[in-house]
Amino acid sequence: MDIAKNIKIVLVNTSHPGNIGAAARAMKNMSLDQLTLVAPEEFPSGVAVGRAASAVDILEKATVVSSLQEAIADCSLVVGTSARSRSIPWPMLNPRECGDKIVAEAQQHKVALVFGREDSGLNNDELQLCHFHVQIPANENYSSLNLAAAVMVLSYEIYSAHLDRSANPADEQAWDQELSTAAQMEHFYQHLEDVLVALDFHDRDNPRQLMQRLRRLYGRIRIDAMEMNILRGILTHIQQRIRPKN
Ligand code: SAH
């Protein structure tokens, strides 16, 4: 699968190395090979190698980083997984839509599919770094899948979408600019927050959900690189105007 190089599976703070190995095996079965581990509790690990079976190569070339932001910095689409919805509602995909979207966008740029901790999933700050959330429909009395099983289901949907698309190539939507990466979006949110504080519009000590709602707003419109330059330029000009001259 030629687009596999653009699809990162990101596991955040995994506690059981066996799950890392089983996730690598699921990925390889589904022709994926880019595994990023955010602060795993135990890695490298013989237990992971045992569970990976013939997917040890994926473990060997896995990237280990210390934060989710670092893991997704170069990605222009980030999808987070969640067994339940929380805080404010977020744009949702079902697993099939998730597969279609990832395959469509991976033709153009890097995408990340992010999985959470075995005991507590992804926290709200991590979920806010995502454009979309995907939930695997499951028993309403027990909807939390094993981590590697969740990786399997969503990797299968990616591979299925790839097979469908190979059979019926879609017309790509032409766009003149690259989409902003997660790192560029993060710089923008910092800049925006600084300006809103300077304007007395926003109080960092009483934030309510302002930044969360602005992240959801700007995440929905998928800002491209040129639009990002314009927005950053506007913010810089506001800062120049309100900064006391001395
Ligand atoms: N108790 C945790 C469950 C964590 S399960 C919680 O409520 O969030 C570990 C990881 O597996 C999750 O973070 C998610 O990445 C994935 N996962 C498990 N069940 C899932 C489901 N139904 N839909 C989407 N992802 C799921």
Side-chain angles (χ1 to χ4, degrees), residues 144-159:
S144 171
L145 279 71
N146 161 264
L147 171 60
V151 172
M152 180 74 239
V153 170
L154 296 176
S155 298
Y156 168 75
E157 291 292 353
I158 292 170
Y159 190 59

Side-chain angles (χ1 to χ4, degrees), residues 81-84 86 114-122 134-138 143-148 150-151 154:
T81 56
S82 179
R84 58 198 155 98
R86 47 191 115 185
V114 185
F115 294 84
R117 301 156 187 83
E118 289 94 332
D119 55 349
S120 57
L122 294 169
V134 57
Q135 191 172 11
I136 301 167
S143 63
S144 171
L145 279 71
N146 161 264
L147 171 60
V151 172
L154 296 176

Side-chain angles (χ1 to χ4, degrees), residues 15-142:
S15 32
H16 302 296
N19 281 332
I20 298 176
R25 181 176 185 169
M27 287 171 61
K28 187 154 181 176
N29 286 142
M30 296 298 134
S31 298
L32 296 173
D33 60 3
Q34 303 291 316
L35 176 62
T36 301
L37 305 171
V38 178
E41 278 188 19
E42 190 185 328
F43 189 84
S45 142
V47 176
V49 168
R51 290 288 296 280
S54 294
V56 177
D57 55 321
I58 293 184
L59 294 182
E60 282 168 352
K61 65 174 185 180
T63 309
V64 179
V65 296
S66 55
S67 72
L68 176 56
Q69 293 195 357
E70 205 180 321
I72 61 174
D74 59 350
C75 296
S76 297
L77 171 69
V78 182
V79 181
T81 56
S82 179
R84 58 198 155 98
S85 53
R86 47 191 115 185
S87 72
I88 62 175
W90 214 257
M92 293 292 304
L93 299 171
N94 66 37
R96 188 149 309 163
E97 292 166 335
C98 173
D100 289 344
K101 190 153 202 62
I102 285 179
V103 168
E105 295 211 15
Q107 323 280 333
Q108 320 281 351
H109 49 242
K110 289 197 188 295
V111 306
L113 181 56
V114 185
F115 294 84
R117 301 156 187 83
E118 289 94 332
D119 55 349
S120 57
L122 294 169
N123 64 34
N124 281 334
D125 287 348
E126 291 160 345
L127 285 165
Q128 280 176 41
L129 297 175
C130 305
H131 294 98
F132 296 91
H133 296 164
V134 57
Q135 191 172 11
I136 301 167
N139 184 345
E140 60 185 33
N141 299 317
Y142 188 34

